[in-house]
Amino acid sequence: ALFSVMAAISKVIGARATTFEKVFWRSLVCSASILCSQAYGRAPGPKSWWPKNPGVVLLRGVCGHLAILLYLESVGLLPLGVAVFLGMIYPLAAAIFAWLFLGERLRPSRLAALLVSLGGVALIARPAPGDVASSTLLGVALALGSGVFIGGALCCARALAEAGEGDMWLLLSLPLVSLPCAAPSAFQDGLRSEGRGQDVWWLFLALGVASQ
């Protein structure tokens, strides 16, 4: 649901900001929120300021960053319902990755349940056949790719949880990769933008809040 909200906000921003700007400000709001909740919150257990499994944390961040980047790009190229529907292949991708890399059993009943849930998403998103047929091949590929990378990020999260990684690093892995990757293009594009309304900055904030 939150991904749909994020897609809708990105659609409202439209061409007034680049995808890198959207990713950067989303990540900045997310990381600030996570750090504040960890520093001043009442989360149980000790706080770890260094990950136990930095390689898997980094891999989760890379998968998550690519997923968000591809998803927001696809939203700009496709009707919203089509982009949301195609991106929802991530539970199937996560199940396949968990079978390949974590040794989890992939039962036929589970596969059937995933396909049924994808059908439910289709009923909610209601992508019109004409919209799907007329969609650009690039947009479709980006939306499907985002679903695959989300599945990879979820598989990494499962591996980190099983290894006892702290919640903070599960949450911070994505913005810590996205911030340095998106910052150069975001600032360059932001400096070139002229006449940007104040509402865009509120939409950037909403984009980050919708990602919590």
Side-chain angles (χ1 to χ4, degrees):
L2 289 179
F3 255 64
S4 301
V5 173
M6 184 177 67
I9 295 171
S10 176
K11 200 82 168 176
V12 171
I13 296 173
R16 291 182 290 174
T18 66
T19 299
F20 284 104
E21 286 182 276
K22 296 171 188 175
V23 170
F24 175 80
W25 292 109
R26 173 196 178 277
S27 301
L28 189 64
V29 173
C30 284
S31 56
S33 173
I34 294 165
L35 289 173
C36 286
S37 65
Q38 288 293 317
Y40 303 108
R42 296 181 179 179
K47 299 179 177 67
S48 173
W49 296 101
W50 185 256
K52 298 177 183 177
N53 305 276
V56 183
V57 169
L58 178 62
L59 181 60
R60 170 172 158 75
V62 170
C63 287
H65 172 68
L66 291 174
I68 295 296
L69 202 62
L70 296 183
Y71 186 63
L72 293 182
E73 281 287 337
S74 72
V75 166
L77 295 172
L78 301 173
L80 187 58
V82 175
V84 170
F85 171 65
L86 293 175
M88 285 296 175
I89 66 163
Y90 71 85
L92 183 60
I96 293 173
F97 285 139
W99 170 62
L100 287 173
F101 301 111
L102 302 181
E104 294 187 5
R105 294 185 63 184
L106 192 59
R107 295 185 177 90
S109 59
R110 187 180 180 189
L111 271 177
L114 290 171
L115 292 175
V116 169
S117 67
L118 190 60
V121 172
L123 290 175
I124 296 171
R126 292 184 179 181
D131 288 341
V132 177
S134 63
S135 298
T136 66
L137 183 60
L138 177 60
V140 170
L142 291 174
L144 291 174
S146 74
V148 172
F149 280 114
I150 293 170
L154 290 174
C155 181
C156 291
R158 178 71 64 86
L160 289 169
E162 291 178 354
E165 188 65 74
D167 289 342
M168 183 179 75
W169 292 107
L170 284 171
L171 298 171
L172 271 180
S173 55
L174 198 163
L176 286 183
V177 171
S178 290
L179 281 172
C181 289
S185 294
F187 280 105
Q188 187 177 11
D189 295 334
L191 289 173
R192 282 203 301 261
S193 63
E194 295 180 2
R196 175 173 291 173
Q198 202 173 39
D199 62 315
V200 174
W201 298 103
W202 288 108
L203 288 169
F204 283 152
L205 178 62
L207 198 62
V209 171
S211 306
Q212 301 300 311

